[in-house]
Amino acid sequence: IYKRRRVSEILEEVSNFKGKFWLRLLYTHPKFIDERLIKVIAENEKICKYIDLPIQHINDRLLNLMKRGISKCKIYELLENIRKNIPDVAIRSSVIVGFPTETDKDFKELLNFMKFARFERLGAFIYSLEENTAASKIKAQIPEKIKNERFNAVMEFQQAISKENNKRFLNKTIEVLIDEIDNDGAGYIGRTYADAPEVDGEVHVSSEKKLKKGEFAKVMITGSMEYDLKGEAL
């Protein structure tokens, strides 16, 4: 039944369930994010202001080879639209480096786009040849050495962006979902709305009172790192 309905409608319906919880939409192909979906995420308190937007690349020629069904121009427009209409949104994306025929110029274009997008979260992947796929039949495969160099460059580039982005939380009180007790017993580990489980950052929380797993806590952020935050529960 759900396959015949718009994602925005399903999100609205699920958000009507009773109780306090976060609803997070993950891994949404850019071409399926429309005005209605953006509006629903922006206006519903239970839906995390978080959009998982895997772009894979920004070069039009490579996007076409990947059969992504979306252009560079449309991706730029979509990002600007999301930022404009969802205040404090956290955008996660993923990119692929070393796709067959990717040139140094193509790779530089990707880095320049990352500088523009300033993704709050980003995952990078090295292209891996899979038999019987369209990409595996392309003769201009990229050497492994160059793939690894580009991967390291992307991760280093994003690390600096993430560190700067995290500073916006400093000295602010935010809601944190407690996931676990810290292994050394010194506190707790939780997540903000900007952190999906297992793939994004964490918040290391100290608290004078006992907290429970699954509990929402108000936390004053006292420190920020490349990917994680630390703070004190109020």
Side-chain angles (χ1 to χ4, degrees), residues 119-133:
F119 292 118
E120 281 72 20
R121 309 287 183 255
L122 183 123
F125 302 89
I126 296 174
Y127 167 77
S128 177
L129 189 149
E130 297 290 339
E131 292 185 9
N132 301 317
T133 61

Side-chain angles (χ1 to χ4, degrees), residues 82-148:
I82 292 171
R83 296 283 190 200
K84 178 182 177 181
N85 291 286
I86 309 179
D88 296 321
V89 66
I91 302 178
R92 156 170 275 279
S93 192
S94 60
V95 298
I96 295 175
V97 299
F99 194 83
T101 77
E102 183 188 50
T103 64
D104 288 340
K105 184 178 179 180
D106 297 335
F107 180 66
K108 186 176 181 180
E109 183 179 2
L110 176 62
L111 292 180
N112 286 335
F113 173 72
M114 288 171 57
K115 184 177 181 180
F116 163 81
R118 297 192 64 81
F119 292 118
E120 281 72 20
R121 309 287 183 255
L122 183 123
F125 302 89
I126 296 174
Y127 167 77
S128 177
L129 189 149
E130 297 290 339
E131 292 185 9
N132 301 317
T133 61
S136 71
K137 296 178 175 62
I138 299 174
K139 292 183 179 180
Q141 298 288 325
I142 308 300
E144 292 299 320
K145 182 176 182 293
I146 294 178
K147 289 182 187 179
N148 285 308

Side-chain angles (χ1 to χ4, degrees), residues 177-181 188 210-216:
L177 177 59
I178 302 301
D179 282 332
E180 58 184 284
I181 299 174
Y188 303 85
K210 187 175 181 179
L211 301 175
K212 298 178 181 179
K213 293 181 182 180
E215 176 181 352
F216 288 95

